Amino acid sequence: GLKDGRWTVLQLVEALGFCLENRDPQMRGRGIQLLSQVLLQCYSLLQEKEVLHLVLFYESRLQDSHVVIPSVLQGLRALSMCEVLPAGLAVSVLKAIFQEVHVQSLLQLDRHTVYSIITNFMSTREEELKGLGANFTFGFIQVMDGEKDPRNLLVAFQIVHDLIAKDYALGPFVEELFEVTSCYFPVDFTPPPNDPHGIQREDLILSLRAVLASTTQFAEFLLPLLIEKLDSELQSAKLDSLQTLTACCAIYGQKELQEFLPSLWSSLRREVFQTASEKIETECLAALRALSACLSRSVLSSDSEDLLDSFLGSILEDCRHHLCEPDMKLVWPSAKLLQAAAGASLRTYHHITHSVLPLLLEQYTKHTQSSQRRTILEMLLGFLELQQKWGHMEEDESALLSLQAPICSVVFSALLDPSVQLQLVGIKALTVLGSLQGFLSSSDLELVVDHLIRLALHEEDSQSSEAAMEAAGSLAPTYPKVFSGRMVPRLEEELQSEREESYHSHHSLQQRCLQALAAVSTHTSIVRETVPVLLQHLQKVQKETEARNTQDTISVCQSLHRVALQCQEDAEGCWYFHQMVVPCLLAIAVQAAMPESTHTLPGKALLEEEVLAAMIPVISAATTHLSPELAAQSVSHVVPLFLDGEVSFLPQNSFPCSFQPFGDGECLEAQRRLVALLMAFVCSLPRNVAIPQQERLLRELLALSCSCNCPFTATTAAKCFAGLVNKHPAGQQLDEILQLAVNRMEPSLAEGPRRTQALTLLLWVTKALVLRYHPLSSCLTDKLLGLLGDTELGPATADGFSLLMAESPDVLHKGCHADVRIMFRQRFFTDNVPKLVQGFHGAGPDVKANYLKGLSHVLNHLPKPVLVTELPTLLSLLLEALSCSDRVVQLSTLSCLHPLLLEAPQIMSLHVDTLVTKFLNLTSSPTMAVRIAALRCAHALTSLPTTVLLPYKGRVIRALAKPLDDKKRLVRKEAVAARGEWFLLGSPGR
């Protein structure tokens, strides 16, 4: 009635008069409860005059029986949300509550109602409440004092935070307000199991910390409390204290900290020197950094003491001498403390490094053992990395600049040390020094490059070699002229040199040269120097007659691929690489594919599958990041090359005969293999780039994929066709080409010599359509499901389900701009797994394994949360799959079950008897991978409820004794881990 306007609230009060004035408190309570429930729904409809009368009524009822109070508070909560509440009534209500209601004697919900009333008034009537002065703060302290429920505490902590943040008067009640909140510190709360409120210990900790660290007025009370808790034995209390101290430093100054600095430093030092907990050490260092930063920020008056200098002096006094101890026991804790303080500000950095760096350099020279030198250099490296944080170096203040010569000398000597570990630290230090602007002189830079070349090419240990290459790559963008002018020519010279040493060592040196050329190509000006060298070497390798040129060609392609990836973010470098590399690769491949004349050409290595497979990612990476305009320019050359033999854009384009990869005849078999390179290019183009003669190209690819006898060529043609279909705009043209493909595949699948090629095409086209949710995908998937029952094609079709679900490395992935919908796997699962299960139950015994294999491939690629929800319906089938003799089915099913044992123990425990039996049987499989997977699952079984597993403990331990003697080390390792967990099952504390 109120909502419709048929009644007024005063009419409702009159109608309830008998209840509201009844002598029975229960009856009065019911009347007020009904009125309050109505107000909670209709408070926004009330008039100012109505609100005034209701507030006065409810205030008077606060003196009523305790039975009535909860309903009265609900009514006041409704009224506290009224926008038309007359001025002064908020103060009146709160005064009445503070005076008449003993809040902590109420039930949790009623106490929460009081906090809600206060919160509502604070958000809408701030100025009125501030008029109460410190009385409001005192009233709230009385309300909150003794609160224990975490739901209420979260609200109460927020109110205290707002009192402070919004500058309410605390008056003489600062200590009382601190006491009423700090009594909960540190928070000791464990949520009950299945807690519907979802309040975590961390929520309370953060909420309380926000209060304690919100004002400097708490400092004199809080800091002694934090020191006390830091000295306790409780790990959680120490962590909470340290994190709270760090938070407080954001608002404290010298005044607040001065009295407590010695005690704080003593506690922090003790914890870092003695603790075994990495977490506590980390928080101690963060707190020390925060303290030092706080003291650095403080503005000093002319007559005040500089606390920062004395504080840092204490740190240096207590830590510096440990850096000189011969046993080096406390070296790292001391270094960490010094670095934490130095990392607080530029001022602290200068203060600490002026004292510590000369000492470290002296200690490095003094110690001769590589292990000790490595420790000292790692400490030095920590201070060098801190300088990176501050960037610029001021000559008059920087200890680094004044020590440039000895620092460089120490780092260069580390690079010459026979210890690999010391070399690695030296390389890191070299990288940091190079990043410090103006630190290295031109002669130092030349020496840096020489060291990096020596380490990259001639250092026996591959770790040092790889680290040197990485360092060159990170420094090259900072000093492109030095690296392109000094390093690249040296690498080119080494690459071209003819040595008389053994093939293996010469080949290894060439490999490293190629890797180093790629690693240093991190700046466009350097790429312009390195790419011609790599291409020149590729052409040289192509002309060699030795059998090794296959591997050499692959190595060059791998280096080119790395360069391509490093160029992708730079438009200029990307286009330069594409223009240089793609035509060159196509030219030498076309040359190699030309029909032989009178003698065998050495370039035939370029047509081998491994070499073409290495060229594909180079072309793809060079194409994916092109702008649409430049990509269109390139595609106008490449597609006519393959369709019309248009070779004019290729370098060295005088070929003995025409290039016709889609032509007929056995003599063109070599040319047809180059469709792999076409695939790499066109399937990597952005979707908005138009492909010239696309319909003709699709028809040629379709014909080649169905008619070619070479499996490699047929597969690449099918992949290229699928890649183009996936990106093709929807419409009549796409429908026609797909219908043409279906018409070509169906007769070939039914019978004939090319059933395998037709299946390959079907799989790739299906994948292309599944990814983009095309309507025809379900029809093609049904064809695949039907082929699972085929005795000849069934096993290959089952493996094809892995292809449908997995990420493809070269086509049909997001990196090459394919149309991939976000939840295609879940949709495929929902649409097709029921059909797989149905097909399995209806299949003959000779083809049942095909359905299991297909199912396990689908489940293996499904997101685990989805799989867990479907587990009850599929588990019996998965257990049946473990009995299948096909090792691929076994392996796939085991890898599917392993995460489910960890994530769905309750469901899996219902089948524990079967699981134990199956896993133990498979630990004797003839296939090593199956034995390892079975042992991992047996290990994962221990995550099931202990009471379920205990009856099997003896049996499993006896059975796992056998794989302990397995001939394969990896199997023995898994057996030891699994058996150990089963031994501990049911032990105290497990």
Side-chain angles (χ1 to χ4, degrees):
L2 254 70
K3 286 183 179 178
D4 297 341
R6 289 182 284 114
W7 285 59
T8 67
V9 72
L10 294 179
Q11 286 175 313
L12 175 62
V13 172
E14 286 175 10
L16 285 169
F18 171 74
C19 294
L20 299 178
E21 295 174 352
N22 199 293
R23 290 189 175 187
D24 179 10
Q26 296 283 354
M27 181 61 75
R28 290 201 304 279
R30 289 175 65 188
I32 294 173
Q33 183 183 15
L34 175 59
L35 178 59
S36 296
Q37 287 172 344
V38 171
L39 292 177
L40 282 168
Q41 292 197 40
C42 303
Y43 64 85
S44 60
L45 305 175
L46 299 177
Q47 303 296 317
E48 184 176 333
K49 188 178 178 182
E50 293 173 327
V51 173
L52 174 61
H53 288 300
L54 286 167
V55 167
L56 295 174
F57 166 74
Y58 272 105
E59 275 186 19
S60 67
R61 292 301 182 187
L62 284 173
Q63 300 173 0
D64 206 333
S65 166
H66 67 90
V67 178
V68 177
I69 297 299
S71 299
V72 175
L73 291 172
Q74 288 294 347
L76 287 171
R77 181 164 76 90
L79 294 169
S80 72
M81 294 186 278
C82 289
E83 292 181 9
V84 295
L85 184 79
L89 285 191
V91 170
S92 174
V93 168
L94 289 180
K95 276 184 175 179
I97 291 174
F98 294 159
Q99 189 173 336
E100 304 295 344
V101 183
H102 184 249
V103 176
Q104 288 306 315
S105 66
L106 301 175
L107 295 175
Q108 179 271 326
L109 181 61
D110 302 325
R111 300 198 304 276
H112 194 278
T113 304
V114 174
Y115 295 127
S116 299
I117 293 168
I118 295 171
T119 301
N120 292 340
F121 283 147
M122 285 181 74
S123 62
T124 59
R125 308 283 163 156
E126 183 178 327
E127 292 308 316
E128 287 182 38
L129 299 192
K130 284 182 176 177
L132 273 171
N135 290 330
F136 175 57
T137 303
F138 180 67
F140 176 72
I141 291 170
Q142 289 180 305
V143 167
M144 182 184 172
D145 193 10
E147 182 60 67
K148 290 185 175 62
D149 191 278
R151 291 165 288 182
N152 291 349
L153 283 172
L154 283 177
V155 185
F157 289 156
Q158 185 59 50
I159 291 172
V160 179
H161 184 268
D162 289 345
L163 278 173
I164 295 164
K166 294 180 179 178
D167 207 23
Y168 282 78
L170 304 185
F173 304 116
V174 173
E175 187 171 0
E176 285 79 0
L177 188 61
F178 173 77
E179 291 295 338
V180 86
T181 49
S182 65
C183 63
Y184 302 101
F185 183 87
V187 171
D188 182 21
F189 168 67
T190 304
N194 306 317
D195 179 18
H197 309 292
I199 295 174
Q200 299 297 315
R201 179 170 172 269
E202 192 66 19
D203 300 327
L204 289 165
I205 287 173
L206 294 175
S207 188
L208 176 56
R209 185 176 301 151
V211 171
L212 296 177
S214 62
T215 175
T216 56
Q217 294 181 75
F218 284 168
E220 60 179 304
F221 315 115
L222 178 60
L223 290 172
L225 176 65
L226 295 181
I227 293 167
E228 178 194 328
K229 298 302 179 186
L230 260 176
D231 296 344
S232 73
E233 295 299 317
L234 202 62
Q235 296 275 70
S236 59
K238 290 184 179 189
L239 278 173
D240 205 351
S241 300
L242 290 164
Q243 289 165 349
T244 304
L245 175 60
T246 303
C248 289
C249 287
I251 62 163
Y252 285 4
Q254 289 205 12
K255 177 186 166 189
E256 287 76 27
L257 293 172
Q258 183 168 9
E259 181 186 343
F260 304 100
L261 277 176
S263 300
L264 287 169
W265 163 238
S266 175
S267 297
L268 293 174
R269 182 190 62 210
R270 183 194 65 242
E271 290 302 324
V272 174
F273 279 174
Q274 296 177 7
T275 187
S277 165
E278 196 175 321
K279 273 187 181 178
I280 287 181
E281 182 188 87
T282 302
E283 293 301 336
C284 278
L285 297 175
L288 179 59
R289 192 177 301 112
L291 279 170
S292 303
C294 176
L295 295 174
S296 301
R297 281 194 309 270
S298 298
V299 178
L300 301 174
S301 58
S302 57
D303 57 341
S304 63
E305 179 194 354
D306 185 356
L307 283 182
L308 179 65
D309 278 347
S310 59
F311 184 61
L312 295 178
S314 300
I315 296 172
L316 284 165
E317 183 183 341
D318 291 340
C319 295
R320 195 174 179 274
H321 64 277
H322 290 304
L323 304 181
C324 310
E325 289 172 359
D327 58 0
M328 302 184 101
K329 266 187 183 174
L330 292 174
V331 158
W332 268 121
S334 301
K336 287 176 181 176
L337 286 165
L338 289 165
Q339 286 169 4
S345 68
L346 193 55
R347 190 174 156 210
T348 61
Y349 180 78
H350 288 319
H351 191 119
I352 297 284
T353 52
H354 269 292
S355 175
V356 172
L357 289 189
L359 179 65
L360 290 176
L361 293 169
E362 179 191 321
Q363 290 299 306
Y364 184 91
T365 311
K366 186 176 171 183
H367 289 92
T368 54
Q369 288 183 16
S370 296
S371 60
Q372 292 174 324
R373 285 189 157 193
R374 188 189 82 194
T375 302
I376 295 164
L377 188 56
E378 282 176 337
M379 290 189 283
L380 182 63
L381 174 61
F383 286 104
L384 295 177
E385 287 171 337
L386 288 175
Q387 176 64 58
Q388 277 183 310
K389 180 178 173 182
W390 308 116
H392 65 283
M393 291 186 290
E394 296 162 8
E395 289 188 31
D396 55 336
E397 289 190 21
S398 175
L400 278 184
L401 281 177
S402 62
L403 296 169
Q404 183 198 19
I407 288 173
C408 286
S409 174
V410 160
V411 172
F412 291 150
S413 75
L415 300 178
L416 293 166
D417 196 276
S419 164
V420 172
Q421 296 306 315
L422 183 51
Q423 284 178 12
L424 291 173
V425 182
I427 291 168
K428 281 184 190 172
L430 195 66
T431 309
V432 175
L433 290 180
S435 69
L436 300 177
Q437 195 174 359
F439 186 83
L440 295 174
S441 64
S442 55
S443 58
D444 286 333
L445 280 171
E446 289 179 0
L447 199 53
V448 166
V449 172
D450 292 344
H451 276 298
L452 291 177
I453 293 171
R454 177 184 58 77
L455 290 166
L457 301 187
H458 304 296
E459 178 56 46
E460 284 184 24
D461 190 89
S462 61
Q463 277 182 286
S464 293
S465 174
E466 288 167 13
M469 292 181 200
E470 292 298 325
S474 65
L475 291 175
T478 312
Y479 310 102
K481 287 184 179 178
V482 179
F483 279 88
S484 60
R486 191 171 183 88
M487 189 168 190
V488 176
R490 287 273 299 279
L491 292 173
E492 183 180 7
E493 185 184 326
E494 291 281 5
L495 193 61
Q496 293 175 349
S497 63
E498 297 293 336
R499 295 172 181 266
E500 296 181 1
E501 57 207 338
S502 68
Y503 160 70
H504 179 75
S505 57
H506 180 52
H507 179 68
S508 174
L509 179 63
Q510 285 206 335
Q511 292 274 83
R512 286 196 176 183
C513 282
L514 293 170
Q515 290 167 1
L517 282 165
V520 80
S521 302
T522 49
H523 188 274
T524 304
S525 65
I526 302 174
V527 171
R528 290 179 182 275
E529 302 291 332
T530 55
V531 165
V533 175
L534 290 168
L535 293 177
Q536 185 183 349
H537 186 68
L538 182 61
Q539 289 163 339
K540 176 188 169 189
V541 166
Q542 184 203 359
K543 294 170 185 170
E544 291 175 352
T545 55
E546 293 95 330
R548 72 169 186 265
N549 67 357
T550 297
Q551 187 52 50
D552 288 347
T553 305
I554 291 171
S555 297
V556 181
C557 289
Q558 288 169 343
S559 290
L560 285 169
H561 181 228
R562 180 170 179 177
V563 178
L565 293 175
Q566 290 166 182
C567 287
Q568 284 181 338
E569 300 308 317
D570 174 53
E572 182 191 345
C574 186
W575 179 234
Y576 170 79
F577 183 91
H578 185 90
Q579 279 183 303
M580 285 292 291
V581 174
V582 173
C584 182
L585 289 182
L586 290 172
I588 60 174
V590 169
Q591 180 66 56
M594 287 297 151
E596 301 167 10
S597 48
T598 54
H599 61 280
T600 304
L601 292 173
K604 294 305 176 203
L606 278 164
L607 302 177
E608 293 180 18
E609 278 184 37
E610 312 94 271
V611 176
L612 289 171
M615 294 169 82
I616 287 169
V618 180
I619 295 174
S620 180
T623 307
T624 52
H625 283 63
L626 288 180
S627 68
E629 298 76 24
L630 296 175
Q633 189 178 325
S634 190
V635 77
S636 66
H637 296 303
V638 176
V639 171
L641 167 67
F642 281 85
L643 287 178
D644 305 315
E646 181 54 62
V647 297
S648 58
F649 82 103
L650 298 178
Q652 305 160 3
N653 54 22
S654 56
F655 301 110
C657 60
S658 60
F659 180 58
Q660 299 174 300
F662 293 116
D664 296 325
E666 287 186 23
C667 62
L668 298 175
E669 182 58 49
Q671 295 187 11
R672 285 196 278 270
R673 294 172 76 81
L674 300 193
V675 168
L677 305 184
L678 172 67
M679 174 198 77
F681 177 76
V682 294
C683 291
S684 301
L685 292 167
R687 260 187 270 176
N688 56 353
V689 174
I691 296 173
Q693 307 180 70
Q694 184 168 10
E695 306 311 312
R696 179 187 163 196
L697 178 60
L698 284 165
R699 290 169 188 273
E700 295 284 14
L701 289 166
L702 180 60
L704 184 60
S705 65
C706 292
S707 61
C708 184
N709 293 319
C710 170
F712 174 77
T713 304
T715 301
T716 51
K719 287 162 78 172
C720 189
F721 179 82
L724 292 174
V725 160
N726 173 265
K727 297 180 190 178
H728 199 295
Q732 186 180 351
Q733 285 185 324
L734 178 61
D735 295 341
E736 287 175 1
I737 200 72
L738 287 173
Q739 190 55 53
L740 182 63
V742 171
N743 294 343
R744 289 293 295 264
M745 285 188 286
E746 281 185 335
S748 300
L749 283 168
E751 58 182 3
R754 294 197 173 87
R755 296 187 76 199
T756 304
Q757 287 96 318
L759 174 62
T760 301
L761 178 63
L762 174 61
L763 283 167
W764 281 104
V765 173
T766 305
K767 182 178 178 75
L769 300 183
V770 164
L771 292 178
R772 63 180 281 179
Y773 290 178
H774 192 279
L776 186 60
S777 62
S778 56
C779 173
L780 298 184
T781 308
D782 288 343
K783 290 184 189 295
L784 289 171
L785 291 167
L787 287 171
L788 289 171
D790 188 294
T791 50
E792 181 189 348
L793 293 181
T797 306
D799 286 330
F801 278 84
S802 176
L803 184 152
L804 294 178
M805 299 293 283
E807 185 88 2
S808 174
D810 43 13
V811 294
L812 296 177
H813 60 86
K814 286 186 178 179
C816 64
H817 311 290
D819 186 354
V820 181
R821 302 301 171 89
I822 191 168
M823 295 180 74
F824 79 90
R825 290 185 179 89
Q826 288 90 318
R827 180 168 175 168
F828 188 88
F829 171 87
T830 306
D831 291 348
N832 297 294
V833 164
K835 298 175 186 176
L836 275 168
V837 174
Q838 185 182 352
F840 168 80
H841 290 304
D846 53 336
V847 293
K848 272 186 179 289
N850 298 336
Y851 289 90
L852 287 175
K853 190 189 290 187
L855 177 66
S856 61
H857 283 314
V858 173
L859 297 181
N860 246 324
H861 291 94
L862 200 65
K864 291 299 175 276
V866 180
L867 187 52
V868 168
T869 59
E870 300 292 337
L871 186 57
T873 56
L874 295 171
L875 189 53
S876 58
L877 206 57
L878 286 170
L879 295 174
E880 196 166 340
L882 289 177
S883 304
C884 178
S885 58
D886 189 312
R887 66 180 179 82
V888 176
V889 176
Q890 291 173 348
L891 195 57
S892 189
T893 308
L894 287 168
S895 63
C896 186
L897 286 170
H898 182 267
L900 296 176
L901 288 164
L902 304 173
E903 293 172 28
Q906 296 302 327
I907 300 172
M908 301 298 276
S909 61
L910 301 174
H911 302 267
V912 65
D913 190 70
T914 310
L915 289 167
V916 168
T917 305
K918 302 278 189 189
F919 293 158
L920 294 181
N921 287 344
L922 289 173
T923 59
S924 304
S925 166
T927 306
M928 182 182 83
V930 173
R931 296 200 300 278
I932 289 174
L935 286 165
R936 283 179 182 160
C937 286
H939 188 170
L941 273 173
T942 57
S943 64
L944 271 53
T946 304
T947 50
V948 175
L949 296 176
L950 281 175
Y952 302 93
K953 181 175 178 179
R955 174 185 163 194
V956 173
I957 290 172
R958 286 192 299 275
L960 292 180
K962 183 182 175 186
L964 291 176
D965 295 325
D966 198 280
K967 58 187 178 183
K968 296 292 185 182
R969 183 182 61 83
L970 292 175
V971 177
R972 296 196 299 273
K973 179 183 172 186
E974 293 296 339
V976 168
R979 199 163 185 256
E981 280 299 316
W982 276 90
F983 261 118
L984 294 171
L985 197 71
S987 304
R990 297 289 293 178

